Structure formats: structure tokens, C-alpha cells
Short mmCIF file of all heavy atoms in Angstrom, two decimals:
data_model
loop_
_atom_site.label_atom_id
_atom_site.label_comp_id
_atom_site.label_asym_id
_atom_site.label_seq_id
_atom_site.Cartn_x
_atom_site.Cartn_y
_atom_site.Cartn_z
N GLN I 71 8.04 -3.79 18.38
CA GLN I 71 9.02 -3.09 19.22
C GLN I 71 9.90 -2.18 18.37
O GLN I 71 10.09 -2.43 17.17
CB GLN I 71 9.88 -4.10 19.97
CG GLN I 71 9.14 -4.89 21.02
CD GLN I 71 10.05 -5.76 21.85
OE1 GLN I 71 11.19 -6.05 21.46
NE2 GLN I 71 9.57 -6.17 23.01
N PRO I 72 10.44 -1.14 18.96
CA PRO I 72 11.39 -0.29 18.23
C PRO I 72 12.53 -1.12 17.65
O PRO I 72 13.04 -2.03 18.30
CB PRO I 72 11.90 0.67 19.30
CG PRO I 72 10.77 0.76 20.28
CD PRO I 72 10.17 -0.63 20.32
N GLY I 73 12.86 -0.81 16.40
CA GLY I 73 13.88 -1.58 15.69
C GLY I 73 13.33 -2.74 14.90
O GLY I 73 14.06 -3.35 14.10
N GLY I 74 12.07 -3.05 15.10
CA GLY I 74 11.45 -4.17 14.42
C GLY I 74 10.97 -3.83 13.02
O GLY I 74 11.19 -2.72 12.52
N SER I 75 10.32 -4.80 12.40
CA SER I 75 9.85 -4.65 11.02
C SER I 75 8.39 -5.07 10.90
O SER I 75 7.91 -5.91 11.67
CB SER I 75 10.69 -5.52 10.07
OG SER I 75 12.04 -5.12 10.07
N LEU I 76 7.73 -4.48 9.93
CA LEU I 76 6.38 -4.86 9.54
C LEU I 76 6.25 -4.71 8.04
O LEU I 76 6.95 -3.88 7.44
CB LEU I 76 5.33 -3.97 10.21
CG LEU I 76 4.88 -4.28 11.63
CD1 LEU I 76 3.89 -3.21 12.10
CD2 LEU I 76 4.29 -5.66 11.77
N ARG I 77 5.35 -5.49 7.46
CA ARG I 77 5.05 -5.36 6.04
C ARG I 77 3.56 -5.14 5.87
O ARG I 77 2.76 -6.00 6.24
CB ARG I 77 5.47 -6.61 5.28
CG ARG I 77 5.43 -6.46 3.78
CD ARG I 77 5.63 -7.79 3.09
NE ARG I 77 5.95 -7.65 1.68
CZ ARG I 77 5.76 -8.60 0.77
NH1 ARG I 77 5.25 -9.76 1.14
NH2 ARG I 77 6.10 -8.40 -0.48
N LEU I 78 3.22 -3.99 5.33
CA LEU I 78 1.83 -3.66 5.06
C LEU I 78 1.48 -4.06 3.64
O LEU I 78 2.32 -3.97 2.74
CB LEU I 78 1.58 -2.17 5.24
CG LEU I 78 1.96 -1.56 6.59
CD1 LEU I 78 1.56 -0.08 6.62
CD2 LEU I 78 1.32 -2.30 7.73
N SER I 79 0.24 -4.47 3.46
CA SER I 79 -0.26 -4.82 2.14
C SER I 79 -1.50 -4.01 1.82
O SER I 79 -2.26 -3.65 2.73
CB SER I 79 -0.60 -6.31 2.06
OG SER I 79 0.53 -7.11 2.31
N CYS I 80 -1.71 -3.74 0.55
CA CYS I 80 -2.92 -3.05 0.08
C CYS I 80 -3.38 -3.78 -1.18
O CYS I 80 -2.63 -3.83 -2.17
CB CYS I 80 -2.64 -1.59 -0.20
SG CYS I 80 -4.01 -0.73 -1.01
N VAL I 81 -4.57 -4.32 -1.11
CA VAL I 81 -5.14 -5.00 -2.27
C VAL I 81 -6.19 -4.09 -2.90
O VAL I 81 -7.10 -3.61 -2.20
CB VAL I 81 -5.76 -6.35 -1.87
CG1 VAL I 81 -6.41 -7.00 -3.08
CG2 VAL I 81 -4.69 -7.26 -1.28
N ALA I 82 -6.06 -3.87 -4.18
CA ALA I 82 -7.00 -3.02 -4.93
C ALA I 82 -7.95 -3.89 -5.74
O ALA I 82 -7.59 -4.96 -6.23
CB ALA I 82 -6.23 -2.08 -5.85
N SER I 83 -9.17 -3.40 -5.88
CA SER I 83 -10.15 -4.08 -6.72
C SER I 83 -10.99 -3.04 -7.43
O SER I 83 -11.00 -1.87 -7.05
CB SER I 83 -11.04 -5.02 -5.89
OG SER I 83 -11.73 -4.31 -4.89
N GLY I 84 -11.70 -3.47 -8.45
CA GLY I 84 -12.50 -2.54 -9.24
C GLY I 84 -11.76 -2.11 -10.49
O GLY I 84 -11.11 -2.94 -11.13
N SER I 85 -11.81 -0.84 -10.79
CA SER I 85 -11.19 -0.30 -12.02
C SER I 85 -9.71 -0.05 -11.82
O SER I 85 -9.21 1.07 -11.99
CB SER I 85 -11.90 0.98 -12.44
OG SER I 85 -13.28 0.74 -12.66
N THR I 86 -8.97 -1.10 -11.53
CA THR I 86 -7.56 -0.95 -11.19
C THR I 86 -6.70 -0.56 -12.39
O THR I 86 -5.61 -0.02 -12.23
CB THR I 86 -7.01 -2.25 -10.56
OG1 THR I 86 -7.20 -3.33 -11.49
CG2 THR I 86 -7.72 -2.56 -9.25
N GLY I 87 -7.20 -0.83 -13.58
CA GLY I 87 -6.44 -0.46 -14.77
C GLY I 87 -6.32 1.04 -14.98
O GLY I 87 -5.46 1.49 -15.73
N SER I 88 -7.16 1.80 -14.30
CA SER I 88 -7.13 3.25 -14.44
C SER I 88 -6.25 3.94 -13.40
O SER I 88 -6.13 5.16 -13.40
CB SER I 88 -8.56 3.80 -14.34
OG SER I 88 -9.12 3.48 -13.09
N ILE I 89 -5.62 3.15 -12.54
CA ILE I 89 -4.78 3.73 -11.49
C ILE I 89 -3.50 4.32 -12.09
O ILE I 89 -2.77 3.65 -12.81
CB ILE I 89 -4.41 2.68 -10.43
CG1 ILE I 89 -5.67 2.24 -9.68
CG2 ILE I 89 -3.38 3.24 -9.45
CD1 ILE I 89 -5.44 1.12 -8.69
N VAL I 90 -3.25 5.59 -11.79
CA VAL I 90 -2.06 6.28 -12.28
C VAL I 90 -0.90 6.05 -11.33
O VAL I 90 0.22 5.74 -11.74
CB VAL I 90 -2.33 7.79 -12.43
CG1 VAL I 90 -1.07 8.51 -12.87
CG2 VAL I 90 -3.46 8.02 -13.43
N HIS I 91 -1.13 6.26 -10.06
CA HIS I 91 -0.12 5.95 -9.07
C HIS I 91 -0.78 5.56 -7.76
O HIS I 91 -1.96 5.83 -7.53
CB HIS I 91 0.85 7.10 -8.86
CG HIS I 91 0.23 8.36 -8.36
ND1 HIS I 91 0.03 9.45 -9.17
CD2 HIS I 91 -0.22 8.72 -7.14
CE1 HIS I 91 -0.53 10.42 -8.46
NE2 HIS I 91 -0.69 10.01 -7.24
N MET I 92 0.01 4.91 -6.92
CA MET I 92 -0.46 4.49 -5.60
C MET I 92 0.53 4.98 -4.55
O MET I 92 1.70 5.25 -4.86
CB MET I 92 -0.61 2.97 -5.51
CG MET I 92 -1.65 2.41 -6.47
SD MET I 92 -1.94 0.65 -6.26
CE MET I 92 -2.83 0.63 -4.68
N ALA I 93 0.05 5.06 -3.33
CA ALA I 93 0.90 5.60 -2.28
C ALA I 93 0.45 5.10 -0.91
O ALA I 93 -0.67 4.59 -0.76
CB ALA I 93 0.87 7.13 -2.29
N TRP I 94 1.33 5.26 0.04
CA TRP I 94 1.01 5.05 1.45
C TRP I 94 1.09 6.41 2.15
O TRP I 94 2.06 7.16 1.97
CB TRP I 94 2.00 4.09 2.10
CG TRP I 94 1.85 2.68 1.67
CD1 TRP I 94 2.56 2.02 0.71
CD2 TRP I 94 0.92 1.73 2.19
NE1 TRP I 94 2.12 0.73 0.59
CE2 TRP I 94 1.11 0.51 1.50
CE3 TRP I 94 -0.07 1.77 3.18
CZ2 TRP I 94 0.36 -0.63 1.77
CZ3 TRP I 94 -0.81 0.63 3.45
CH2 TRP I 94 -0.59 -0.55 2.74
N TYR I 95 0.07 6.69 2.92
CA TYR I 95 0.05 7.86 3.78
C TYR I 95 -0.08 7.36 5.22
O TYR I 95 -0.45 6.22 5.46
CB TYR I 95 -1.14 8.76 3.46
CG TYR I 95 -0.99 9.59 2.22
CD1 TYR I 95 -1.09 9.02 0.95
CD2 TYR I 95 -0.76 10.97 2.30
CE1 TYR I 95 -0.95 9.80 -0.19
CE2 TYR I 95 -0.63 11.75 1.17
CZ TYR I 95 -0.73 11.16 -0.07
OH TYR I 95 -0.60 11.93 -1.20
#
């Protein structure tokens, strides 16, 4: 509902050590 909250998660796998930055679109 409007005014409410949610928490999104993103789990990465693979060559995660090469990640420069992450983002939400």
C-alpha cells in the first residue's frame, strides 16, 4: 500500500570479484 515499505534483494554469483559497481534500475 502507499506509504508502505519493501526490501529488495539481489544475489550475485559467478565472477563477483570483478564487479566494479552495482545498481538498481
